[in-house]
């Protein structure tokens, strides 16, 4: 008997935009609808992802080209890993929510590295797996930095106003570039947590309605 493939939903946004908060709520909502849901993130906790986290925290240092290549390598492992890779989960019928995916590398790394090269690095990943939708939680960098300062874990590398402003602008350039080929949903992240969760559910509930159900 063939298993219906899971759905793949990606959250995007600048640091501190509220992705983790909303991913937890969406996962709960999906499970309440009797679907199996796995949440994951990039950088991953795998071999390359751990190296990236050391760089983000300032415990290790490398140049921005190497970082771009590492993000692409971490993504391939995330997709292809035999044990818990994205393709395996989706093929088992498990839906997956990822905190960040390809658009993060395009938006963050293209600030310092040519976008064309970043896209070339990710072409294999794009060919293997594209999301059903990208949910972008939009928030002003000042608000994001205020939230980050209020105490959650922080990574030093990109969490400054100049970089986050550039990254946000690049996300919007990308949305124009991909408007006909990718399903991108932009959500106002300055609303309260419940309203944001409602807006997200309105856009993704269609994937979690059982045919023939109530
Ligand atoms: P991200 O995963 O995108 O970095 P988080 O979900 O960790 O973002 O949120 C960053 C901080 O902002 C957390 O302290 C969280 O509690 C808070 N937060 C999240 N969403 C909202 C919101 N809509 N309004 C106010 N604070 C929020
Ligand atoms: P993280 O602590 O997960 O931050 P957040 O919760 O805000 O997502 O750190 C991820 C950092 O890595 C964040 O600054 C964005 C950056 N990043 C890239 O620069 N390129 C990428 O491809 C990915 C996946 C993340």
């Amino acid at each position: 008997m063939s298993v219906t493939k899971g759905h793949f939903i990606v959250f995007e946004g600048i640091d501190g935009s509220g992705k983790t908060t909303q991913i937890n709520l969406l996962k709960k909502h999906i499970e309440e609808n009797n679907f199996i849901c796995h949440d994951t993130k990039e950088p991953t906790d795998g071999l390359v992802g751990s190296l990236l986290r050391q760089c983000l925290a300032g415990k290790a240092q490398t140049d921005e080209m190497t970082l771009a290549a590492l993000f692409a390598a971490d993504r391939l492992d995330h997709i292809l890993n035999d044990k818990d890779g994205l393709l395996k989960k989706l093929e088992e019928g498990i839906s997956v929510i990822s905190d960040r995916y390809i658009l993060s590398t395009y938006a963050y790394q293209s600030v310092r590295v040519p976008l064309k090269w970043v896209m070339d690095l990710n072409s294999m990943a794009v060919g293997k797996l594209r999301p059903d939708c990208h949910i972008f939680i939009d928030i002003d960098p000042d608000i994001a930095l205020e939230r980050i300062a209020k105490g959650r874990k922080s990574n030093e590398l990109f969490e400054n106003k100049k970089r986050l402003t550039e990254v946000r602008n690049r996300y919007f350039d990308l949305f124009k570039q991909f408007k006909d080929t990718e399903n991108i949903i932009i959500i106002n992240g300055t609303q309260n947590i419940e309203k944001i969760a409602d807006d997200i559910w309105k856009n993704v509930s269609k994937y979690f309605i059982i045919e023939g159900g109530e």
Side-chain angles (χ1 to χ4, degrees):
M1 196 179 75
S2 75
V3 179
T4 310
K5 277 193 182 173
H7 291 288
F8 182 38
I9 296 171
V10 167
F11 276 69
E12 293 285 352
I14 59 172
D15 301 48
S17 55
K19 294 179 279 70
T20 308
T21 307
Q22 293 302 326
I23 287 170
N24 291 338
L25 292 170
L26 178 59
K27 181 169 191 268
K28 216 169 129 221
H29 219 135
I30 291 171
E31 288 170 347
E32 280 164 6
N33 281 268
N34 298 317
F35 282 79
I36 306 173
C37 180
H38 168 73
D39 65 304
T40 180
K41 62 177 189 283
E42 292 186 2
T44 66
D45 291 327
L47 199 67
V48 185
S50 307
L51 208 58
L52 277 163
R53 289 204 178 272
Q54 286 188 41
C55 296
L56 291 167
K59 291 179 189 148
Q61 194 272 329
T62 189
D63 64 280
E64 297 241 10
M65 297 248 280
T66 304
L67 272 183
L70 288 175
F71 278 116
D74 183 42
R75 180 157 304 122
L76 279 174
D77 181 46
H78 197 198
I79 296 169
L80 300 172
N81 196 287
D82 274 351
K83 197 168 128 261
D84 57 359
L86 297 173
L87 289 179
K88 183 163 187 284
K89 296 267 180 214
L90 293 165
E91 269 151 29
E92 286 169 355
I94 298 170
S95 286
V96 178
I97 309 176
S98 182
D99 188 341
R100 303 192 177 283
Y101 194 58
I102 289 169
L103 292 182
S104 280
T105 315
Y106 292 179
Y108 279 78
Q109 274 56 63
S110 73
V111 173
R112 293 288 167 78
V113 176
L115 177 61
K116 164 82 174 66
W117 186 71
V118 176
M119 290 173 93
D120 287 348
L121 280 176
N122 279 277
S123 61
M124 184 65 84
V126 173
K128 295 275 176 208
L129 179 63
R130 287 169 52 201
D132 289 287
C133 69
H134 313 251
I135 296 171
F136 177 76
I137 305 187
D138 186 34
I139 181 176
D140 186 274
D142 282 322
I143 302 176
L145 288 167
E146 259 172 47
R147 287 186 189 172
I148 291 167
K150 270 193 193 148
R152 49 147 266 198
K153 50 43 178 167
S154 76
N155 67 68
E156 291 148 34
L157 202 57
F158 302 134
E159 287 178 354
N160 61 76
K161 184 170 175 178
K162 186 164 180 284
R163 184 69 177 241
L164 291 186
T165 304
E166 283 173 327
V167 169
R168 181 173 179 237
N169 291 339
R170 273 164 206 269
Y171 267 120
F172 279 98
D173 290 344
L174 292 165
F175 299 158
K176 274 190 223 144
Q177 188 171 340
F178 290 111
K179 71 178 171 23
D180 297 325
T181 50
E182 295 294 323
N183 182 13
I184 297 165
I185 295 152
I186 301 172
I187 303 282
N188 174 0
T190 57
Q191 308 175 96
N192 68 47
I193 290 173
E194 292 71 27
K195 177 69 175 63
I196 297 172
D198 277 355
D199 284 359
I200 292 170
W201 186 246
K202 275 190 198 122
N203 281 284
V204 302
S205 58
K206 61 177 179 244
Y207 300 122
F208 304 103
I209 290 165
I210 299 166
E211 276 172 45
E214 287 169 63

